[in-house]
Amino acid sequence: MSTVTPVQKELTAVKGTHDILPGEVEVWQTVEAAAKRLFESYGYRELRAPILEHTELFEKGTGETTDIVTKEMYTFVDKGGRSITLRPEYTPSVARAIVEHRLDLLGAPMRYYYIGPMFRYDKPQKGRYRQFHQMDIEVFNEKDPAIDAEIIEMADALLRTLGVTETATLVNSVGCRACRPAYSQALRERAGRDRDRLCPDCQRKIATNPLRIFDCKVEACRGAARDFPKISEFLCEDCRVHFAGVRAALDLYGLRYKVDPNMVRGLDYYTKTTFEVVHLGAGQQNAVLGGGRYDDMMKDFGGPDICGIGFALGVERLIAMLTLKPEPRRFVYVVHLGDKAKVEAIRLARTLRKAGIETIVEFAGRGLKSQFSRANKLGAAWVVVIGDDEIGKGLFQLKDMAAGTQVECAPAEIQARIQNRK
Ligand code: HAM
């Protein structure tokens, strides 16, 4: 027997990426199915955009001064000389697809969801990966603060459906193009006075985009940012009224939340509402999901002047919080010995699979006893035995493993017997 040691780095997964193996993937499937059901019950439809986009989409959409664009994108030049990026987030892709296909002209509710991989070249640690997965939802053309509250409620409903309880919902308003410049200026002045407390990166942000100092993970910068002026003191009338509307609608839903004036989120496109759900006690990477309103993105893309709002949930972070055990699979294992039995096993498997019954037939040349104990070890719900005796009689053995009962029956009866016990 040889031992395989994957010493060469090309035989291990790329740093910050993970295989999701059978045994774990069932939890993913359960979570994805629950999310799809829930999103669709709120009128969302799936929109699948490509993983590759033009780099400019994120520069323009996500924002040129964000950590994502300045430090974390997987960008390369393709053979045609184009600058291409593996999407670091999904929101700009949805906005692009709407503009490209003029989905706004269809008259249907503009509510979209997607579940898939995103890519960010960040320092991997628990809860932070280079390829990770998001469940993303976006709504367009709905201005009313009730929709802001509805999507926060939908996020909450998803977490409750999956049995997640130890969370807190944080909300804020980051203002709009009318009121944020005055706030940015106040921040710039304040951060300028605190320059020596800030890391070199944040010192640069004072000039480029002082709001982004709130995203810094350096403890000294976080400490300094705690004393910075609050956006709530700078909101214009429109933003104040909207935020009050969001809070009133959240109260209507009976949702518990906390207003966090420092929660500005790490993306440039947000206007008005931002929110996050954090896992209490999950350590530093504790945001399970985050989102907000982005009323200018479509217009900035040269598309229609349509507002947008959405959130994305980190699937790895969600799964780490779950205690969910997926239902064990119920399958048939067909034990066979001899050439004729092999033919019968194949025939039976085809019939059962056509009826939607998972059926395993293996061809490893094992003896009857060893096939039987393998079926047992794999956790088969039923075992069918086909040997010379069974071929001779035209009756196969069907064993119900949980009940421990065994019957002899004609091949044509097996499907119905299994279906009756399912
Ligand atoms: P985000 O806050 O950058 O927002 O990401 C959303 C969620 O994705 C995070 O709360 C976290 O759970 C997960 N996440 C982000 N980065 C990583 C990582 N490196 N490893 C593991 N999980 C991660 C957005 O992406 C926005 N597009 C959300 C949005 C949608 N806003 C409006 N619409």
Side-chain angles (χ1 to χ4, degrees):
M1 215 165 99
S2 70
T3 23
V4 181
T5 335
V7 278
Q8 302 104 311
K9 88 170 163 6
E10 60 273 21
L11 290 185
T12 60
V14 170
K15 190 173 176 188
T17 73
H18 295 278
D19 299 307
I20 305 165
L21 301 175
E24 314 165 64
V25 84
E26 291 77 8
V27 178
W28 284 72
Q29 289 166 339
T30 306
V31 166
E32 287 165 5
K36 285 181 182 183
R37 262 197 312 276
L38 185 95
F39 297 156
E40 292 186 2
S41 78
Y42 283 70
Y44 289 73
R45 294 287 173 269
E46 189 173 6
L47 188 159
R48 297 188 191 185
I51 287 174
L52 305 179
E53 297 275 7
H54 293 288
T55 303
E56 220 192 330
L57 179 76
F58 302 108
E59 288 171 349
K60 245 183 154 162
T62 310
E64 259 162 338
T65 60
T66 58
D67 282 354
I68 293 180
V69 171
T70 55
K71 304 181 203 161
E72 298 171 2
M73 293 209 298
Y74 277 90
T75 296
F76 62 95
V77 177
D78 76 2
K79 291 192 170 68
R82 305 168 195 89
S83 179
I84 300 292
T85 292
L86 301 184
R87 60 179 181 216
E89 58 145 343
Y90 202 60
T91 314
S93 297
V94 185
R96 177 204 45 75
I98 291 171
V99 178
E100 190 168 340
H101 305 287
R102 288 312 305 261
L103 300 181
D104 54 307
L105 301 180
L106 299 181
M110 297 176 70
R111 299 176 171 209
Y112 309 101
Y113 77 85
Y114 176 72
I115 303 172
M118 307 291 149
F119 306 84
R120 295 185 193 175
Y121 195 84
D122 202 347
K123 205 168 166 219
Q125 53 173 262
K126 190 170 177 287
R128 198 200 292 155
Y129 311 104
R130 292 185 173 167
Q131 175 173 330
F132 60 99
H133 297 76
Q134 286 188 340
M135 292 179 178
D136 181 281
I137 71 101
E138 311 289 347
V139 185
F140 295 86
N141 214 10
E142 301 209 35
K143 278 200 174 64
D144 196 293
I147 193 73
D148 305 34
E150 188 185 271
I151 69 169
I152 297 172
E153 189 269 335
M154 184 166 80
D156 187 73
L158 178 59
L159 296 175
R160 304 295 155 249
T161 304
L162 295 169
V164 175
T165 48
E166 305 275 283
T167 59
T169 302
L170 310 176
V171 298
N172 192 22
S173 172
V174 293
C176 66
R177 284 184 180 166
C179 51
R180 200 157 344 123
Y183 176 58
S184 294
Q185 188 49 33
L187 270 185
R188 192 168 284 125
E189 284 164 17
R190 176 58 201 251
R193 288 205 298 279
D194 279 351
R195 177 176 285 274
D196 295 346
R197 293 176 67 190
L198 301 176
C199 72
D201 203 21
C202 285
Q203 291 185 2
R204 266 191 302 277
K205 290 176 182 173
I206 298 175
T208 55
N209 189 347
L211 215 74
R212 297 278 68 90
I213 296 172
F214 287 107
D215 308 333
C216 186
K217 288 154 194 151
V218 175
E219 199 38 59
C221 302
R222 294 167 86 94
R226 272 194 279 276
D227 303 328
F228 283 1
K230 308 284 179 244
I231 179 77
S232 45
E233 296 151 26
F234 290 80
L235 294 183
C236 63
E237 180 64 7
D238 188 30
C239 289
R240 259 187 338 96
V241 170
H242 187 90
F243 194 37
V246 174
R247 294 192 319 263
L250 286 172
D251 292 339
L252 206 68
Y253 279 117
L255 273 182
R256 286 159 67 101
Y257 61 90
K258 200 173 140 227
V259 176
D260 178 354
N262 282 347
M263 201 257 306
V264 296
R265 312 252 315 118
L267 301 148
D268 279 352
Y269 49 67
Y270 289 121
T271 51
K272 298 192 167 117
T273 316
T274 52
F275 61 93
E276 271 182 7
V277 176
V278 296
H279 183 205
L280 302 170
Q284 227 187 359
Q285 303 306 318
N286 65 351
V288 188
L289 68 90
R293 186 167 271 284
Y294 48 95
D295 290 349
D296 301 318
M297 188 189 289
M298 295 279 255
K299 196 170 52 193
D300 292 348
F301 281 174
D305 186 1
I306 285 179
C307 60
I309 182 166
F311 69 74
L313 176 148
V315 185
E316 283 80 359
R317 291 189 194 174
L318 171 70
I319 284 179
M321 295 163 67
L322 300 180
T323 47
L324 188 115
K325 285 264 166 297
E327 288 276 298
R329 297 170 81 112
R330 295 179 64 71
F331 63 90
V332 180
Y333 191 98
V334 186
V335 168
H336 58 97
L337 196 67
D339 290 342
K340 284 189 184 144
K342 183 174 172 183
V343 171
E344 288 305 320
I346 292 170
R347 200 172 275 154
L348 176 66
R350 287 192 76 185
T351 310
L352 297 181
R353 288 170 187 157
K354 259 194 208 154
I357 300 166
E358 181 178 334
T359 307
I360 299 178
V361 187
E362 288 187 306
F363 305 101
R366 296 184 179 94
L368 278 185
K369 221 168 147 190
S370 125
Q371 286 185 63
F372 207 91
S373 63
R374 182 161 163 79
N376 200 17
K377 202 162 133 206
L378 293 178
W382 299 274
V383 177
V384 177
V385 182
I386 317 174
D388 285 341
D389 281 358
E390 286 76 14
I391 297 281
K393 284 194 268 183
L395 294 173
F396 298 170
Q397 305 285 339
L398 172 65
K399 180 157 187 182
D400 180 326
M401 300 297 273
T405 51
Q406 188 160 325
V407 287
E408 252 186 4
C409 56
E413 278 176 47
I414 291 180
Q415 177 190 330
R417 282 181 178 269
I418 287 172
Q419 276 166 334
N420 289 343
R421 291 287 312 207
K422 244 186 155 181

